[in-house]
Amino acid sequence: MASNYKDNNGNTVLLRIVSFGPAEVWEWGINAEKQPYEEYKWCEDDFYEDSSYIKVISMEELLKVLKIQQVGNGLSDMICSPSDVDTFIDFCCAVGRNIKGFTWWCHVTKEHKPCGMGGPSSKYYEGWFSEIPMDDLMRFADNESYREYFKSRWPADKQYKDCYWPGFWLEDE
């Protein structure tokens, strides 16, 4: 369940998973110092020893939890499920990164043939990704413009395909 909010400590919570049996909470996000973190909260201290922790993790570990697949090295072609675009944009804003643009990838499954060229196997979902030929990146003015595009404009576009997943490119620092 995506949370995408700031807590009382200034941390941007990107993902929160809650369990009621036993009562425990996992959280991943960006702390106030712009570092990726993982937090585990054990909520049944009366019954068992408290094993809660919070730790700084690598950017790669956080991207793995968020199921963002990096195709290139570094900041290019970070494939994101359309349903997780908001969380990815929140991640970019929290770490102070602007999106430079994106390319399209077709999510290929047994039921759906590729729309483009070859590409990598999916690390987090069934199937693989087929690269859609493009002349250049799709570019917008700022991160919020990308959010608006994916929420409103893209789903209404006559060229919309639900198999298309964005591969985001981030600007250098």
Side-chain angles (χ1 to χ4, degrees):
M1 168 176 63
S3 298
N4 306 333
Y5 69 92
K6 283 213 184 268
D7 68 11
N8 294 336
N9 298 319
N11 299 329
T12 300
V13 179
L14 297 172
L15 180 66
R16 171 179 268 178
I17 299 173
V18 178
S19 170
F20 293 103
E24 51 195 345
V25 178
W26 289 268
E27 234 176 55
W28 293 269
I30 304 296
N31 67 23
E33 289 79 38
K34 297 192 184 296
Q35 301 168 313
Y37 74 91
E38 172 183 303
E39 183 172 5
Y40 172 76
K41 297 175 190 171
W42 177 256
C43 305
E44 295 186 17
D45 295 344
D46 294 344
F47 300 108
Y48 299 100
E49 183 179 336
D50 183 5
S51 56
S52 299
Y53 65 85
I54 185 166
K55 65 180 180 178
V56 171
I57 60 175
S58 71
M59 196 66 70
E60 290 75 23
E61 288 173 291
L62 180 57
L63 292 173
K64 184 177 181 179
V65 170
L66 298 177
K67 298 182 179 178
I68 304 298
Q69 182 165 338
Q70 291 178 278
V71 177
N73 291 328
L75 306 174
S76 63
D77 267 340
M78 302 170 83
I79 299 175
C80 177
S81 164
S83 62
D84 293 328
V85 166
D86 265 348
T87 300
F88 182 77
I89 293 171
D90 289 341
F91 159 80
C92 292
C93 293
V95 296
R97 292 289 187 147
N98 292 317
I99 298 170
K100 183 190 320 188
F102 70 92
T103 57
W104 287 119
W105 292 84
C106 169
H107 181 219
V108 182
T109 62
K110 291 177 188 173
E111 298 81 32
H112 178 73
K113 295 188 189 269
C115 298
M117 307 177 290
S121 293
S122 177
K123 293 180 183 177
Y124 310 112
Y125 302 94
E126 173 196 348
W128 58 283
F129 295 104
S130 167
E131 188 172 12
I132 304 301
M134 297 175 65
D135 292 334
D136 196 7
L137 299 174
M138 299 264 309
R139 299 173 193 266
F140 295 105
D142 54 37
N143 289 355
E144 292 308 313
S145 297
Y146 288 95
R147 188 185 314 271
E148 189 276 325
Y149 175 78
F150 283 100
K151 274 187 175 179
S152 305
R153 292 177 29 212
W154 173 241
D157 193 296
K158 65 182 178 180
Q159 296 179 3
Y160 173 84
K161 291 185 179 186
D162 62 358
C163 66
Y164 276 27
W165 290 26
F168 290 103
W169 294 54
L170 303 183
E171 291 182 355
D172 295 330
E173 290 186 75

